[in-house]
Structure formats: structure tokens, C-alpha cells
Amino acid sequence: MTISNAVTWFEIGTDRPDEAQRFYGDLFGWSFTEQGTGEASYRTTEGGGAGIGGAIRGTAGAGPNYAIFYVQVADVAETCRRAEAAGGKVLVPTKRNDNGLTLAHLLDPAGNHVGVFAPPPGPADA
């Protein structure tokens, strides 16, 4: 079953990932699993089990701190075209990571940042 056009992931980018992990863990009872190493820290959580999953990304001060939500879509490039047609902008063009996940970052007409992604094709999609 493919989920489409639903918010399915969030990411919190911070230059203080230990502090962010402690804060969200204490506040909401979330636990985290480290997926990266050193400055590439990426700590995932299931968001309490009933909500969407997400992660804390360590930025090592390479950019501003942020919080973003991701919408899972069927076609990232087409979603970018539609966003521009609707008055938005593509902030980070379509790219594919090493795991085959395709993503892009958009700005809505009011300047709000949102991510879109399509998971890697599964065996049935290939």
C-alpha cells in the first residue's frame, strides 16, 4: 500500500543534537536510535508510536537550526512542477540519496519550508 500526499516524517536540524534529544525525550517520552556518526548525527524516533516518525539531524553549525515536515508523494519532480505553478519555489531541487529515496525542499508562497519525498521503489514497483 502506498501512502501519498500525507505528512509522514519530520526532521529537526540543530547544532545541539544532544540537547534536542534530551528535550524531546523528556517532554514527550520519545526514544532515539543513532543512524549516523560524528558530525553526520541522525537520530530517528517513532514519535511516540501513534504519530509520525522523525529525526534529529546534527548540523554541526553548518546552517541555521530548523524544523520541517515531509509529505510523501508519488512523484517528487512532478510535485516540484506543481508547486512552482501554484506560486511556490523549489529550494532544494530533486535529488536521490544512496538508499534510493527521492526528495526535494519547497517554499510555499508565504516562505514556509516543506519537504516532499518518494520512497525507493519496492519489489512490486520495480
Side-chain angles (χ1 to χ4, degrees), residues 22-116:
R22 182 204 50 78
F23 175 79
Y24 290 103
D26 289 353
L27 183 62
F28 298 124
W30 295 351
S31 59
F32 293 85
T33 303
E34 180 65 57
Q35 302 293 316
T37 58
E39 292 186 7
S41 175
Y42 200 72
R43 303 162 189 206
T44 60
T45 180
E46 294 301 317
I52 65 171
I56 295 172
R57 176 182 297 280
T59 64
N65 291 344
Y66 63 88
I68 184 173
F69 64 88
Y70 284 85
V71 177
Q72 184 173 333
V73 298
D75 185 326
V76 172
E78 175 61 20
T79 301
C80 289
R81 286 189 286 278
R82 291 180 52 227
E84 289 178 323
K89 294 180 182 170
V90 176
L91 182 64
V92 175
T94 302
K95 63 182 179 179
R96 184 175 302 240
N97 74 10
D98 293 341
N99 296 324
L101 181 134
T102 305
L103 64 100
H105 289 194
L106 310 172
L107 286 177
D108 70 17
N112 297 301
H113 191 163
V114 60
V116 294

